[in-house]
Amino acid sequence: VSDDTPTETLRERSLAAVAEHIKSGKARRIVVMTGAGISTAAGIPDFRSPETGLYANLAKLNLPRPEAVFDLPFFRTNPKPFYVLAKDLYPGNFHPTVSHVFISLLAKKGLLHQLFTQNIDCLERAAGIPSELIVEAHGSFATQRCIECRTPYPDDLMREHVSRAQVPRCIRGPTECDGFVKPDIVFFHEALPTLFYDRKDLVDHADLALVLGTSLQVHPFAGLPEYVREGVPRVLFNMERVGSLGSLADDVLELGDCDGGIRKLADELGWSDELEAEWRKL
Ligand code: CNA
């Protein structure tokens, strides 16, 4: 969506103007915020898209409500539905998308200040984004532990259980603990990793913010775009308009699939060949 009224910072509200802003060297601290929509092209369903989203497809699991699958009290009584889902979502089965690779390019060019992701699929790491630049705000499948005594659980055993949709139990054994094991992904009502709170002030240092593939429904993550300073462009790549994006003079809305929008931006930047080459390499 292009709007040719000049903004405080951009020549106009368009990807071409965003690309000029980057090429001029005025955007050296780019903060990126992502959600499930950047991984749908990899074959991982999001939560909330009607018909294709996970919540629309959970009926077969007989849950009291779709969100129960990520609810700790429910998991304690019935962890099986979560493991049925985990089998489909587990890292290793999917490849990063063009959007992931673009963020990795930003990092390579020294322009990525910080990536905040709500995703638990580890595709950011798979795309080669350095781990110190990633905040996995809702945790990830990378590690796991017993929900009762917090004893870590080995990766190889976890992989075996998940591949069979079986529920792993605490390695301390049935007489010692026997609690259910859960990946370190943040369930509803659980605290976010401290890293999220330690790093969220970095949003305030951004000279450009890119928001991709998120419905901005889950707090506190959904509040991050509000920390972007006035006069700093915020660009949304999403199927639909979300949060307050679009309400400020410097907001640019690129509505549609995010890989398409990202390819347009890469083209304006003259990075298309590099982007496609990096993507094909993975
Ligand atoms: P969500 O609420 O499902 O919203 C996804 C958003 O992306 C919606 O606004 C869609 O319109 C949009 N969208 C879907 N596909 C595309 C696409 N190809 N291009 C552009 N936009 C698209 O997901 P959120 O991330 O906002 O919600 C937060 C939850 C979802 C987090 O706690 C995640 O852990 C959780 N989640 C993660 C994954 C994953 O790791 N890949 C998958 C499903 C859910």
Side-chain angles (χ1 to χ4, degrees):
V1 183
S2 174
D3 171 352
D4 42 14
T5 343
T7 76
E8 214 174 288
T9 310
L10 301 175
R11 174 173 57 76
E12 61 179 23
R13 291 163 70 143
S14 71
L15 290 185
V18 173
E20 276 170 32
H21 185 57
I22 297 174
K23 284 193 285 189
S24 73
K26 286 187 199 130
R28 292 167 186 277
R29 292 189 304 269
I30 304 179
V31 166
V32 182
M33 305 160 199
T34 61
I38 79 159
S39 295
T40 52
I44 307 174
D46 65 6
F47 276 177
R48 293 180 181 80
S49 283
E51 292 170 36
T52 54
L54 280 179
Y55 284 164
N57 289 315
L58 286 173
K60 56 180 190 276
L61 296 181
N62 264 330
L63 295 165
R65 56 206 157 79
E67 291 86 349
V69 75
F70 297 109
D71 181 283
L72 198 56
F74 181 83
F75 181 87
R76 203 166 250 126
T77 56
N78 184 7
K80 186 72 183 175
F82 171 79
Y83 277 94
V84 171
L85 200 70
K87 183 172 186 281
D88 287 341
L89 293 182
Y90 207 58
N93 299 334
F94 304 98
H95 285 285
T97 65
V98 166
S99 298
H100 289 102
V101 174
F102 181 82
I103 304 167
S104 161
L105 263 191
L106 289 178
K108 238 177 152 183
K109 293 174 186 292
L111 299 173
L112 181 66
H113 196 47
Q114 195 70 210
L115 164 65
F116 293 87
T117 180
Q118 295 166 93
N119 295 346
I120 51 177
D121 54 31
C122 298
L123 288 183
E124 301 81 9
R125 303 173 194 216
I129 302 166
S131 59
E132 67 274 15
L133 294 180
I134 308 174
V135 173
E136 289 167 331
H138 295 164
S140 83
F141 274 105
T143 54
Q144 53 280 319
R145 67 200 67 245
C146 168
I147 58 166
E148 306 303 342
C149 70
R150 318 290 302 157
T151 301
Y153 189 80
D155 294 347
D156 52 342
L157 287 182
M158 184 68 178
R159 189 165 284 279
E160 270 173 37
H161 278 80
V162 172
S163 69
R164 295 193 296 255
Q166 276 175 357
V167 183
R169 285 180 173 252
C170 185
I171 44 165
R172 290 172 65 214
T175 49
E176 291 292 321
C177 179
D178 213 28
F180 296 130
V181 170
K182 171 180 110 28
D184 292 331
I185 62 176
V186 179
F187 275 26
F188 292 115
H189 311 301
E190 281 193 295
L192 270 60
T194 52
L195 195 64
F196 175 81
Y197 295 100
D198 294 345
R199 301 265 176 94
K200 82 181 177 20
D201 288 349
L202 295 178
V203 177
D204 189 46
H205 304 167
D207 42 29
L208 177 64
L210 308 180
V211 181
L212 291 90
T214 171
S215 63
L216 290 182
Q217 300 263 321
V218 181
H219 288 273
F221 191 100
L224 284 182
E226 309 310 316
Y227 292 113
V228 176
R229 273 176 301 132
E230 225 184 296
V232 170
R234 305 186 303 177
V235 189
L236 175 72
F237 298 88
N238 210 53
M239 289 296 192
E240 49 177 354
R241 193 174 158 174
V242 294
S244 68
L245 275 296
S247 66
L248 300 179
D250 297 282
D251 290 349
V252 176
L253 299 180
E254 181 61 29
L255 302 184
D257 81 281
C258 51
D259 284 353
I262 283 296
R263 280 190 159 113
K264 266 197 233 169
L265 177 59
D267 191 35
E268 297 285 355
L269 284 162
W271 297 359
S272 291
D273 290 349
E274 201 180 355
L275 178 68
E276 302 298 335
E278 290 289 323
W279 184 54
R280 273 193 301 269
K281 255 201 251 164
L282 290 173

